[in-house]
Amino acid sequence: MKRRILVLVAAVCVAMGMEAQFFPGFNPQQAKLKAQEEAEKAYQKGNDFLRAKKYDRAFDLYQKAADAGHAGAQYNLGTFYIEGKVVLQDYEKAVYWFEKAAIQGVKDAQYNLAAIYHQGAGVPKDEERAQYWARVYKDIEKLEVKKEEPQPNFPFPPRPQEPVEEVPDEQAEFEGGQQALMTWLSQNMQYPEKAVEADAQGRVLVGFIVNRDGSVDDVKVVKSVHPALDEEAVRVVKAMPKWKPGKKGGKTVRVRYTLPITFKMQETPKTEGSESGAAAQ
């Protein structure tokens, strides 16, 4: 009965051109404006701490403002996750906050999303999304990112990279060990059509760094076989889940790792076509 009465009150208020208020003194529009003002204050205060290089306090204030929908704070949170300030480097979270800001019209966020998806920087390469954000940013049909072009400007300089331990006490390891690694690769790798057409096969050596949080970084080809095979090997390594990090003196450290990935085509009877596969050795 009480709920019916509230509904009737609201209907009467609307009919009379009045604003329905179920709680005395509460105005939704004023509450929204107040929340926006508080978010702006938190954002500006965060900028002050950022300039003072008090990154942890800046991050907390940006988080508060971003949760309230402040586009500038959302963009800055994305840069925190890109640079690894205060929090661990996390491109997925960076993309999450860049998209929030990009939807609200922040041009730098739109550009960053286009570049990140186009280059496969920390997230799986996605040309469709790259093209979408490129069109939103510049209203262009094709995204062309040249290596010599400057990278997006972030509000603080890149974090100095921690040293890489060449001889750790405990080497980094794929979760579950070598067998789990080979299984994961076999399930996620594809033999490129261009390599099949060129009858290309062989062992690609891929080098990368396993960070302290287990994420894979600085992926590059150490020994090349064929451009298509090289590209596929790099792609799948970048897509790997987090590893168990290496250790030195009981502490987690960044370590370098080299992974050989063998591409070999297997001949089958002509009536059945041909098969090809790849494996880590």
Side-chain angles (χ1 to χ4, degrees):
M1 179 63 70
K2 184 176 180 180
R3 182 168 181 174
R4 286 187 63 187
I5 292 173
L6 289 176
V7 172
L8 287 173
V9 170
V12 171
C13 289
V14 171
M16 296 176 64
M18 299 169 60
E19 183 176 0
Q21 294 184 12
F22 297 142
F23 304 99
F26 177 75
N27 186 312
Q29 186 62 27
Q30 290 181 353
K32 181 179 180 180
L33 291 174
K34 184 177 181 181
Q36 290 175 344
E37 291 176 0
E38 292 298 321
E40 180 63 27
K41 288 179 181 178
Y43 171 69
Q44 294 298 340
K45 192 67 175 177
N47 288 342
D48 292 339
F49 282 123
L50 186 63
R51 285 188 285 268
K53 298 183 179 181
K54 297 180 179 179
Y55 300 125
D56 54 343
R57 302 187 71 176
F59 179 85
D60 291 340
L61 287 165
Y62 286 147
Q63 183 76 64
K64 178 180 178 181
D67 288 339
H70 194 288
Q74 291 168 347
Y75 172 78
N76 281 0
L77 276 185
T79 66
F80 265 84
Y81 282 109
I82 286 286
E83 297 295 350
K85 288 285 187 182
V86 181
V87 291
L88 292 174
Q89 192 176 56
D90 190 325
Y91 276 83
E92 290 184 359
K93 289 184 179 179
V95 165
Y96 171 82
W97 287 113
F98 280 153
E99 287 186 341
K100 291 273 189 183
I103 290 171
Q104 297 196 65
V106 178
K107 303 300 289 183
D108 284 346
Q110 295 165 0
Y111 173 80
N112 287 355
L113 287 172
I116 287 172
Y117 281 123
H118 181 65
Q119 298 170 353
V123 296
K125 191 171 182 178
D126 191 325
E127 197 62 30
E128 184 176 350
R129 291 187 180 182
Q131 297 292 340
Y132 170 79
W133 285 114
R135 286 192 293 270
V136 172
Y137 174 68
K138 286 185 175 180
D139 192 26
I140 58 178
E141 293 300 323
K142 186 175 181 181
L143 176 65
E144 294 290 350
V145 179
K146 299 179 181 179
K147 293 182 179 180
E148 62 268 25
E149 289 184 356
Q151 293 299 311
N153 293 321
F154 297 119
F156 36 66
R159 177 190 58 169
Q161 289 288 350
E162 298 174 357
V164 176
E165 185 61 53
E166 300 292 346
V167 188
D169 296 334
E170 296 181 28
Q171 180 58 276
E173 183 182 37
F174 188 87
E175 289 289 348
Q178 286 295 318
Q179 187 59 48
L181 171 60
M182 295 182 68
T183 299
W184 189 90
L185 287 173
S186 65
Q187 293 174 346
N188 290 275
M189 293 193 70
Q190 299 177 356
Y191 212 106
E193 290 185 9
K194 290 183 178 179
V196 174
E197 294 172 357
D199 195 28
Q201 52 188 333
R203 179 180 295 180
V204 179
L205 289 182
V206 182
F208 54 92
I209 292 174
V210 179
N211 292 317
R212 292 173 58 193
D213 66 345
S215 60
V216 172
D217 194 10
D218 193 26
V219 182
K220 54 189 176 184
V221 174
V222 177
K223 181 182 177 182
S224 173
V225 173
H226 182 276
L229 298 181
D230 297 347
E231 183 178 348
E232 175 61 12
V234 169
R235 181 199 68 79
V236 78
V237 169
K238 285 184 175 181
M240 287 191 299
K242 289 187 175 181
W243 286 44
K244 182 179 178 182
K247 290 185 177 182
K248 181 78 172 183
K251 297 181 179 180
T252 56
V253 292
R254 299 177 78 224
V255 299
R256 197 179 307 278
Y257 198 98
T258 301
L259 180 66
I261 300 177
T262 300
F263 292 86
K264 184 177 181 180
M265 285 186 278
Q266 299 174 346
E267 297 294 337
T268 57
K270 294 182 180 180
T271 54
E272 297 180 9
S274 60
E275 294 182 356
S276 55
Q281 293 185 351

